[in-house]
Amino acid sequence: MAGISGSGAVSGIPVVDLSTFLAENDGAAVGDEIRNQKKKAIMEVVKEACSVYGFFQIVNHGVPLQLMDRAFQVSAQFFDFPLDEKLTFGSRPGATLPAGYNRHPFDCPDKHKNDYLFLLRPSNPFFVAYPAKPPHLREVAEEVFTSLIETGSLIEGIINDSLGLPCGLLKQELDSDSSWDFMLAHRYFPEIDGVTNGLTAHEDSNAFTLLFQDDVGGLEVWRNGEWIPVTPEPGAIVVNVGDLIQVLSNNKFKSATHRVVRPKGKSRYSYTYFHSVSVEKLVEPLPQFTEEVGELPKYRKFRFGEYLHLKKMGVVHPPERPEDIIHVTHYSIN
C-alpha cells in the first residue's frame, strides 16, 4: 500500500511515510490525483491503527535525523553529570508542572526509570530555564521542540481527516496555539537484578504523543492480552493516541495502554512530545460522533485539569486495589 513501509508492520503496528504531505508543503510538482490517492491510503492505515492499537510510526516526517542523533548525545551528557549538579536544575517544590530535572522517588513503581528532563515552551507560565550544561543542550532541545511541534501540527491534521472531521476542527478543539505542550528527555537505566520495569503500564492523558527512541527499544503496547513491542525503526517517530482523542472521538480512536521495559546491559534514551490543552479545557465527545450520527455520548463533560489532578493523586498515593487507579473511564457514562 502506498505510504506504508518498514518492519513495524510485522507486529501489526504500521510505519507510515509522510513524504507525500511534506512534498505538498514544499510545492513539489506531484499530480493532484496521485497525491490524493496516496493521502487517502495513508488516512485508511492511520484510521485502522488508531482504532485497533492507538499507535503507529512515521518516517520522512521532517525532523532532521542528525538533530535526533544530536539530541541523544546532549541528553546523555547531561544525565552523566553528578546528581548534585543535575539537581540544581530540578523542578520547583509543589509546582503544578514538574519542569526541569526530576528523579522518581525510590518507593515509586517507576523508580528505576530514574532520570528525566521535563521541558516546557518558554511561553508556559511554569517554564523553568534549561540547564546551562552541556553548552548546546538548550539549543538542541529548543530545535527538537520546534520540530516536533511542526510535526505534531501535521499529525493533528492527519488524525482530523482520518476521523472524517471538518477541516481544522481538531486544531480548534485542541487549542493548538496554547503553551501547554511539553517534552520529556528520558534516560532509562538497564535491567538490574531482574528488575525490568522502566515505565509501568498506562495511557497518556493528553491528545496525542510523539516519541523517538534510540535503537535499544523497550516500548510495548497492550493488545488482545499480550504486549506487542514497538520495534525501533531507523529515524522513525512513534505516534500514539491519548485520552483526549479517545473522548473527543467517542471511542472511535483508542488511547492505548503501553509500557517501557528496561533492556539488558544498556541504558535507553528517548524524547517524548505531548500535545495537550489548557488545564481549564472542558472535554466531551464531539457532536460529529454523537448527536449528528444518532449515538449517545460515552463520556460526561469534564475539566482536563481535574482529570490530571486525579491521576496525579493516584501516583502520589497509589490505591491498594488496581481497579481504583484513575483512567479516563472515570468519566464514562454507563
Side-chain angles (χ1 to χ4, degrees):
M1 181 174 290
I4 311 304
S5 65
S7 60
V10 173
S11 65
I13 299 172
V15 180
V16 180
D17 187 331
L18 297 186
S19 56
T20 298
F21 294 88
L22 296 179
E24 179 181 9
N25 294 338
D26 291 340
V30 179
D32 287 342
E33 183 176 351
I34 296 176
R35 179 191 296 121
N36 290 335
Q37 288 176 353
K38 290 183 177 181
K39 289 171 67 174
K40 184 177 179 180
I42 290 172
M43 298 297 179
E44 288 300 316
V45 172
V46 170
K47 181 178 180 180
E48 181 177 1
C50 292
S51 302
V52 176
Y53 297 98
F55 267 79
F56 58 99
Q57 297 194 72
I58 55 175
V59 294
N60 295 321
H61 39 64
V63 180
L65 302 187
Q66 297 90 339
L67 175 62
M68 296 164 70
D69 289 339
R70 196 174 179 206
F72 288 135
Q73 292 170 9
V74 295
S75 64
Q77 290 172 13
F78 174 78
F79 289 132
D80 281 342
F81 288 155
L83 178 59
D84 290 347
E85 190 169 349
K86 289 183 289 189
L87 288 175
T88 61
F89 302 104
S91 58
R92 298 177 185 135
T96 302
L97 295 174
Y101 172 73
N102 292 267
R103 288 173 66 94
H104 281 280
F106 186 74
D107 58 350
C108 172
D110 295 326
K111 60 180 178 295
H112 298 289
K113 182 170 63 176
N114 222 311
D115 284 328
Y116 68 99
L117 273 171
F118 190 114
L119 305 173
L120 298 166
R121 291 191 189 185
S123 56
N124 190 292
F126 299 101
F127 174 73
V128 174
Y130 286 101
K133 297 191 303 182
H136 299 294
L137 188 148
R138 174 168 185 163
E139 170 193 338
V140 172
E142 288 186 342
E143 191 173 349
V144 170
F145 212 147
T146 299
S147 293
L148 291 178
I149 288 171
E150 292 175 357
T151 303
S153 180
L154 176 58
I155 292 299
E156 183 179 66
I158 291 173
I159 292 176
N160 182 97
D161 295 348
S162 298
L163 283 168
L165 293 171
C167 182
L169 179 63
L170 197 56
K171 178 181 178 65
Q172 177 183 330
E173 286 295 323
L174 297 177
D175 190 18
S176 296
D177 293 329
S178 76
S179 62
W180 292 93
D181 294 354
F182 62 94
M183 184 172 74
L184 301 180
H186 274 136
R187 174 175 69 173
Y188 296 82
F189 287 143
E191 173 190 341
I192 299 176
D193 298 330
V195 178
T196 61
N197 177 54
L199 187 59
T200 52
H202 68 287
E203 301 83 38
D204 290 349
S205 308
N206 54 302
F208 60 84
T209 303
L210 306 180
L211 172 144
F212 61 90
Q213 55 181 334
D214 60 15
D215 59 2
V216 173
L219 178 62
E220 298 182 342
V221 183
W222 183 251
R223 168 67 178 159
N224 288 339
E226 63 177 332
W227 288 106
I228 300 173
V230 182
T231 305
E233 185 80 10
I237 292 176
V238 179
V239 182
N240 71 274
V241 173
D243 292 340
L244 288 177
I245 295 292
Q246 178 169 303
V247 172
L248 291 173
S249 69
N250 208 33
N251 283 356
K252 296 295 185 295
F253 281 4
K254 176 184 179 181
S255 180
T257 303
H258 55 286
R259 70 180 185 181
V260 175
V261 176
R262 297 165 59 205
K264 294 182 178 180
K266 191 175 182 181
S267 292
R268 173 186 186 267
Y269 294 88
S270 66
Y271 278 76
T272 314
Y273 164 76
F274 297 86
H275 185 39
S276 196
V277 298
S278 165
V279 293
E280 299 301 321
K281 175 71 175 179
L282 294 173
V283 185
E284 64 180 330
L286 293 171
Q288 285 82 1
F289 303 111
T290 54
E291 58 194 63
E292 292 186 12
V293 293
E295 291 189 12
L296 295 174
K298 295 180 171 61
Y299 300 91
R300 57 185 170 88
K301 183 186 294 186
F302 62 92
R303 194 176 301 277
F304 185 56
E306 173 195 274
Y307 176 43
L308 291 182
H309 176 72
L310 290 174
K311 290 198 73 172
K312 180 180 179 180
M313 289 300 98
V315 173
V316 176
H317 304 290
E320 294 184 3
R321 301 188 310 167
E323 59 266 33
D324 292 333
I325 296 174
I326 295 295
H327 302 274
V328 75
T329 50
H330 175 76
Y331 298 100
S332 293
I333 298 175
N334 296 321

Short mmCIF file of all heavy atoms in Angstrom, two decimals, residues 5 39 47 68 71 85-86 115 120 177 191 241 256 262 287 303 329:
data_model
loop_
_atom_site.label_atom_id
_atom_site.label_comp_id
_atom_site.label_asym_id
_atom_site.label_seq_id
_atom_site.Cartn_x
_atom_site.Cartn_y
_atom_site.Cartn_z
N SER A 5 5.52 1.34 4.98
CA SER A 5 6.78 0.63 4.85
C SER A 5 7.25 0.18 6.21
O SER A 5 6.66 0.51 7.22
CB SER A 5 7.84 1.55 4.22
OG SER A 5 8.13 2.62 5.10
N LYS A 39 -2.52 10.01 -0.13
CA LYS A 39 -3.01 10.54 1.15
C LYS A 39 -4.21 9.73 1.65
O LYS A 39 -4.31 9.44 2.85
CB LYS A 39 -3.38 12.01 0.99
CG LYS A 39 -2.17 12.92 0.81
CD LYS A 39 -2.55 14.33 0.45
CE LYS A 39 -3.26 15.05 1.55
NZ LYS A 39 -3.49 16.47 1.21
N LYS A 47 -6.27 5.43 10.31
CA LYS A 47 -7.57 5.17 10.93
C LYS A 47 -7.62 3.80 11.57
O LYS A 47 -8.06 3.64 12.71
CB LYS A 47 -8.67 5.31 9.87
CG LYS A 47 -10.08 5.07 10.40
CD LYS A 47 -11.11 5.27 9.30
CE LYS A 47 -12.52 5.03 9.81
NZ LYS A 47 -13.54 5.23 8.72
N MET A 68 18.01 14.48 15.70
CA MET A 68 17.60 13.44 16.64
C MET A 68 18.82 12.78 17.28
O MET A 68 18.85 12.56 18.49
CB MET A 68 16.72 12.42 15.92
CG MET A 68 15.41 13.00 15.40
SD MET A 68 14.55 11.97 14.16
CE MET A 68 14.00 10.60 15.16
N ALA A 71 20.38 15.16 19.73
CA ALA A 71 19.57 15.25 20.94
C ALA A 71 19.93 14.14 21.92
O ALA A 71 20.04 14.37 23.13
CB ALA A 71 18.09 15.19 20.58
N GLU A 85 24.77 18.20 40.75
CA GLU A 85 24.79 19.20 39.69
C GLU A 85 23.47 19.19 38.93
O GLU A 85 22.92 20.24 38.59
CB GLU A 85 25.95 18.92 38.75
CG GLU A 85 26.20 20.03 37.74
CD GLU A 85 27.53 19.84 37.01
OE1 GLU A 85 28.33 18.98 37.42
OE2 GLU A 85 27.74 20.55 36.00
N LYS A 86 22.93 18.00 38.68
CA LYS A 86 21.65 17.92 37.98
C LYS A 86 20.51 18.49 38.82
O LYS A 86 19.59 19.13 38.28
CB LYS A 86 21.35 16.46 37.61
CG LYS A 86 22.24 15.91 36.51
CD LYS A 86 21.88 14.49 36.11
CE LYS A 86 22.24 13.48 37.17
NZ LYS A 86 22.09 12.08 36.69
N ASP A 115 15.98 9.03 35.60
CA ASP A 115 16.31 10.38 35.14
C ASP A 115 15.38 10.87 34.04
O ASP A 115 15.14 10.15 33.07
CB ASP A 115 17.73 10.42 34.55
CG ASP A 115 18.81 10.41 35.61
OD1 ASP A 115 18.58 10.94 36.68
OD2 ASP A 115 19.88 9.86 35.33
N LEU A 120 9.32 22.68 28.95
CA LEU A 120 8.12 23.40 28.55
C LEU A 120 8.43 24.43 27.48
O LEU A 120 9.57 24.86 27.32
CB LEU A 120 7.51 24.13 29.76
CG LEU A 120 7.04 23.26 30.92
CD1 LEU A 120 6.80 24.13 32.14
CD2 LEU A 120 5.76 22.53 30.55
N ASP A 177 -2.65 26.51 19.65
CA ASP A 177 -1.76 27.63 19.89
C ASP A 177 -1.47 27.84 21.38
O ASP A 177 -0.81 28.80 21.76
CB ASP A 177 -2.36 28.92 19.30
CG ASP A 177 -2.43 28.87 17.78
OD1 ASP A 177 -1.57 28.21 17.19
OD2 ASP A 177 -3.34 29.48 17.21
N GLU A 191 18.36 -3.10 32.89
CA GLU A 191 17.83 -4.07 33.85
C GLU A 191 18.90 -4.40 34.89
O GLU A 191 20.07 -4.60 34.56
CB GLU A 191 17.42 -5.34 33.11
CG GLU A 191 17.02 -6.47 34.03
CD GLU A 191 16.85 -7.77 33.28
OE1 GLU A 191 16.71 -7.74 32.05
OE2 GLU A 191 16.90 -8.83 33.94
N VAL A 241 -2.13 7.72 20.29
CA VAL A 241 -3.34 8.46 20.65
C VAL A 241 -3.45 8.55 22.17
O VAL A 241 -3.13 7.60 22.88
CB VAL A 241 -4.58 7.76 20.06
CG1 VAL A 241 -5.86 8.40 20.56
CG2 VAL A 241 -4.52 7.77 18.54
N ALA A 256 -4.13 3.92 23.79
CA ALA A 256 -3.58 2.59 24.03
C ALA A 256 -2.82 2.50 25.35
O ALA A 256 -2.12 3.42 25.75
CB ALA A 256 -2.66 2.19 22.89
N ARG A 262 12.82 -2.24 30.59
CA ARG A 262 14.25 -1.94 30.58
C ARG A 262 15.03 -3.11 29.98
O ARG A 262 14.87 -4.25 30.40
CB ARG A 262 14.74 -1.68 32.01
CG ARG A 262 14.10 -0.46 32.65
CD ARG A 262 14.32 -0.45 34.14
NE ARG A 262 15.74 -0.45 34.46
CZ ARG A 262 16.23 -0.90 35.61
NH1 ARG A 262 15.43 -1.43 36.50
NH2 ARG A 262 17.51 -0.83 35.85
N PRO A 287 -19.96 16.45 18.76
CA PRO A 287 -21.29 16.13 18.21
C PRO A 287 -21.23 15.32 16.92
O PRO A 287 -22.18 14.60 16.60
CB PRO A 287 -21.92 17.51 17.97
CG PRO A 287 -20.76 18.47 17.92
CD PRO A 287 -19.73 17.90 18.84
N ARG A 303 -13.45 18.76 33.21
CA ARG A 303 -12.36 19.72 33.04
C ARG A 303 -11.05 18.95 33.02
O ARG A 303 -10.79 18.11 33.87
CB ARG A 303 -12.38 20.74 34.18
CG ARG A 303 -11.49 21.97 33.92
CD ARG A 303 -11.63 22.99 35.04
NE ARG A 303 -13.00 23.44 35.19
CZ ARG A 303 -13.55 24.40 34.46
NH1 ARG A 303 -12.83 25.01 33.53
NH2 ARG A 303 -14.81 24.76 34.67
N THR A 329 -11.77 6.43 31.83
CA THR A 329 -13.08 5.76 32.01
C THR A 329 -13.77 6.20 33.29
O THR A 329 -14.94 5.89 33.49
CB THR A 329 -12.89 4.23 32.01
OG1 THR A 329 -11.83 3.88 32.93
CG2 THR A 329 -12.52 3.72 30.63
#
